[in-house]
Amino acid sequence: MQVYADNAATTQISRVALEAMMPCFETYYGNPSSLHSIGQEAKELLEDARQRVAACLGCEAREIYFTSGGSEADNQAILSAARYGARRGKKHIISTAFEHHAVLHTLQKLEKEGFEVTLLDVRQGHNITAQQVHDAIREDTCLVTCMYANNEIGSILPIAQIGEVCKDAGVPFHTDAVQAAGHLHIDVKAQNIDLLSLSAHKFHGPKGVGALYARRGFPLVNVIDGGAQERGKRAGTENLPAIRGMAAALEDACANMEENMGRVRAMRDKLIAGLSRIPHCDLNGDRENRLPGNVSFCFEGIEGESLLLLLDMKGVCASSGSACTSGSLDPSHVLLAIGRVHDVAHGSLRLSISEYNTDEEMDHILTVVPQVVQQLRNMSPVWRDLQTGKREFIL
Ligand SMILES: *Cc1c(COP(=O)(O)O)cnc(C)c1O
């Protein structure tokens, strides 16, 4: 058995999305900017896709800009709000300590340009409150950017309340909704969201395509300069197949959200209950307000990397927060932000499931993970020190 439990990294494309894409390769291959009939047919399909994406978010079609994915949408949203703020003498931005790097690295770039960034503490309940946002807002705040839901630990932020705080203070509000779109109900108007990013490959759409919602009249700056596509705000010939695939996938996800997420939530709760029985482990992320497909644990006395390799050998494709990228052994900034110490953060495991998973697969995970954790602990010098009392348990 092979179980794919890494849906927060990317998802398998759906049949619906694939079928929406194929005609764009074979028949509607025109450039939407061309004036002839083949171009204009493509243009119609493009605008139809825009309308569909907008309907899923509760906004107007002209408020949707297609991008190359979530990262580009995050960059454009934040840079736009920053430039607009700077013109009015406002150079303070509020965000959280557990944002995706697409947000954090953009903020770091702005800091080098003289912006001041406040990152809200996420240790309490592995989440933030709207009150924290309220208390951090200053006269010179030009943007609040808080993710809708965290990709590593699954916490869902109080978006509607944050939106209200921002509206009352007259501060633009951006949310990176890459993990939420297609999984949670979004209504940008009711939630007072000014800017929102999403990415198709996180909801069974194709990779390399996403969207930025920007409230009508919001002054966007270009990240990609060139032609006049996307109302002059994002140059480059539109990736019509991907855009059609994204619209179909989002529509499908939203139409079946309640049923799919109900099933996914039940599988998630079964995993959390089963894995909690492993000694000296702890759940990461908000216990109540949690993405339907997210399971994230820290296990004391093991290394996340070895856990992943052994799990893969036993047919479970998962992820760890402690990716030792380019030789550095830094654990995930998200796990450190919620207050995990380095040793504990290194023993992390994220299982992210979707409606494509089955109950049998959950049973397989529940058999294999405790075995592999025990196997690794038996070989671990750290675990031996914990057992003999030379080192104290944290979890
Ligand atoms: C995946 C992800 C992104 C990046 O999206 P891409 O389309 O891969 O660029 C941004 N934010 C969050 C929360 C994500 O999970």
Side-chain angles (χ1 to χ4, degrees):
M1 181 181 274
Q2 196 181 34
V3 184
Y4 184 71
D6 200 13
N7 287 278
T10 196
T11 58
Q12 186 186 354
I13 195 165
S14 68
R15 182 60 41 198
V16 173
L18 211 49
E19 278 169 8
M21 294 173 76
M22 289 314 283
C24 303
F25 293 112
E26 295 169 324
T27 312
Y28 306 107
Y29 50 80
N31 186 326
S33 299
S34 298
L35 294 179
H36 49 65
S37 51
I38 292 187
Q40 288 308 296
E41 276 172 355
K43 172 87 179 160
E44 268 175 44
L45 290 181
L46 176 70
E47 294 315 319
D48 171 73
R50 198 184 307 281
Q51 181 57 54
R52 289 172 180 210
V53 170
C56 293
L57 301 177
C59 66
E60 294 172 39
R62 60 180 162 172
E63 296 175 306
I64 297 294
Y65 299 83
F66 294 123
T67 68
S68 67
S71 299
E72 187 190 323
D74 282 342
N75 275 254
Q76 189 169 14
I78 293 166
L79 292 172
S80 297
R83 301 290 173 245
Y84 179 55
R87 283 205 299 277
R88 296 174 302 147
K90 300 184 174 201
K91 297 183 83 172
H92 174 239
I93 300 174
I94 299 168
S95 189
T96 77
F98 65 5
E99 294 296 311
H100 190 274
H101 281 139
V103 168
L104 286 181
H105 289 168
T106 305
L107 293 178
Q108 280 165 18
K109 199 156 82 176
L110 287 169
E111 273 183 319
K112 290 201 187 96
E113 293 178 21
F115 282 81
E116 204 183 318
V117 176
T118 300
L119 294 182
L120 300 176
D121 192 320
V122 292
R123 282 173 297 182
Q124 188 73 44
H126 301 178
N127 207 337
I128 62 158
T129 61
Q131 186 66 40
Q132 281 175 277
V133 175
H134 176 269
D135 295 347
I137 289 179
R138 310 191 317 210
E139 203 57 41
D140 62 342
T141 304
C142 64
L143 172 69
V144 170
T145 172
C146 296
M147 66 202 322
Y148 203 118
N150 186 276
N151 48 305
E152 284 189 37
I153 61 171
S155 301
I156 299 171
L157 281 68
I159 293 301
Q161 289 100 300
I162 297 170
E164 204 165 315
V165 164
C166 292
K167 186 186 160 207
D168 289 346
V171 176
F173 175 36
H174 165 249
T175 185
D176 171 345
V178 173
Q179 290 292 328
H183 304 275
L184 302 172
H185 182 70
I186 296 175
D187 184 335
V188 291
K189 301 296 167 192
Q191 294 170 308
N192 290 306
I193 298 166
D194 298 301
L195 299 154
L196 177 144
S197 319
L198 60 80
S199 175
H201 74 102
K202 303 289 175 78
F203 49 80
H204 304 290
K207 295 173 203 355
V209 65
L212 170 63
Y213 149 79
R215 184 176 43 73
R216 186 151 59 92
F218 196 92
L220 289 183
V221 297
N222 289 59
V223 171
I224 311 279
D225 289 306
Q229 291 91 354
E230 298 300 300
R231 300 157 58 82
K233 296 303 175 191
R234 202 283 182 180
T237 302
E238 300 86 346
N239 185 351
L240 190 62
I243 289 168
R244 296 288 297 172
M246 170 166 67
L250 187 59
E251 228 172 26
D252 186 44
C254 291
N256 300 296
M257 189 180 289
E258 232 161 274
E259 191 190 327
N260 287 343
M261 291 307 118
R263 261 198 61 233
V264 171
R265 209 174 274 118
M267 289 190 282
R268 173 200 72 185
D269 290 342
K270 182 170 167 172
L271 284 187
I272 291 178
L275 297 178
S276 296
R277 288 195 207 104
I278 296 174
H280 303 288
C281 77
D282 198 20
L283 185 69
N284 300 311
D286 194 311
R287 283 168 189 271
E288 272 96 56
N289 300 309
R290 189 178 191 91
L291 280 172
N294 177 283
V295 177
S296 171
F297 277 96
C298 280
F299 300 103
E300 206 162 359
I302 61 170
E303 290 285 343
E305 288 82 16
S306 348
L307 182 58
L308 289 193
L309 294 176
L310 287 188
L311 284 178
D312 190 27
M313 282 164 54
K314 299 198 178 225
V316 176
C317 299
S319 146
S320 169
S322 62
C324 57
T325 39
S326 59
S328 86
L329 255 173
D330 288 340
S332 126
H333 70 282
V334 173
L335 297 174
L336 295 180
I338 61 170
R340 298 295 188 204
V341 298
H342 274 68
D343 283 356
V344 168
H346 273 304
S348 66
L349 173 69
R350 177 187 72 186
L351 299 155
S352 46
I353 53 176
S354 85
E355 65 273 24
Y356 289 18
N357 290 112
T358 64
D359 280 321
E360 291 69 44
E361 291 178 342
M362 298 306 109
D363 293 335
H364 183 66
I365 291 173
L366 285 172
T367 309
V368 166
V369 173
Q371 283 173 0
V372 171
V373 169
Q374 194 51 52
Q375 188 183 344
L376 286 171
R377 281 176 170 172
N378 289 343
M379 313 188 295
S380 154
V382 173
W383 185 250
R384 194 179 331 113
D385 288 351
L386 288 164
Q387 294 292 307
T388 57
K390 250 173 94 178
R391 189 194 276 253
E392 275 186 39
F393 279 109
I394 297 165
L395 301 182

